[in-house]
Amino acid sequence: MQQLLLPLLLVLVLAVPLVMSTRKQKKQQAAQQDLQNSLAPGDRVMTTSGLYGTVADTSGDTTIDIEIAPGVVTTWLRLAVREKVEPVVETDEDTTDEASAPAEESIIESGADVKTEEPQTTAQVAPPLEHGKK
C-alpha cells in the first residue's frame, strides 16, 4: 500500500493544475467566441493591435469591416477584435476660452516675468558652396 501512495500523490499533484488550467482556457475561448458572435454595426471595438474603431459591417463569416476614421473603412479578421469599448462621449462645453483666461491671470498676479520677445540665436550660417569653386 505504501508503494502505491507516492505515485498516486504525484499524479494528483500534476493532474489537478492541468485540469484547472484547461477549464480556464475553455472559459476564455467561449467568452471570446461570444464576443465575436455578438458584434453588430455601430459597436465600438479595440483590435488586438490596439486600434480603436466602429464596426461598419458584419456580413462576412470570418471578416468584419471597421471604420477607423470618418469615411475610412478597413477589413479585419473577426479574431482580431479583442474587446468592445465604451463609445466616446463628446461634450459641447467650450472650455478653451474659460480655461486659458484664469491661467494667464494667475501668472500676472504672481508677479512672474512674462517675456514676449523671441529668443535671439547666435549661430552663424556659412554661405552655400558653389560647385566647381574652392
Side-chain angles (χ1 to χ4, degrees):
M1 185 72 180
Q2 290 288 339
Q3 293 174 351
L4 293 177
L5 187 61
L6 183 61
L8 183 62
L9 286 175
L10 284 174
V11 168
L12 286 177
V13 167
L14 295 175
V16 169
L18 183 64
V19 169
M20 296 301 279
S21 66
T22 305
R23 290 182 62 210
K24 182 178 177 182
Q25 191 175 28
K26 284 182 182 181
K27 286 181 184 179
Q28 288 176 344
Q29 287 176 348
Q32 185 68 20
Q33 187 68 33
D34 290 342
L35 168 73
Q36 291 168 4
N37 290 337
S38 70
L39 292 175
D43 288 342
R44 184 117 171 105
V45 295
M46 181 179 72
T47 64
T48 55
S49 61
L51 182 77
Y52 289 90
T54 305
V55 176
D57 183 29
T58 59
S59 61
D61 290 338
T62 60
T63 61
I64 189 169
D65 290 340
I66 298 177
E67 184 176 18
I68 56 175
V72 180
V73 178
T74 56
T75 302
W76 293 77
L77 287 174
R78 280 186 181 263
L79 296 175
V81 175
R82 181 178 186 168
E83 62 184 276
K84 284 186 184 180
V85 294
E86 295 296 321
V88 177
V89 178
E90 296 180 13
T91 59
D92 293 333
E93 297 175 11
D94 190 18
T95 58
T96 56
D97 295 336
E98 298 170 3
S100 63
E104 291 173 6
E105 290 174 6
S106 65
I107 291 172
I108 294 171
E109 289 174 1
S110 68
D113 293 335
V114 179
K115 295 184 180 181
T116 57
E117 299 176 12
E118 293 187 23
Q120 297 179 359
T121 59
T122 58
Q124 295 179 355
V125 179
L129 296 176
E130 295 181 24
H131 292 289
K133 293 184 179 180
K134 290 187 180 179

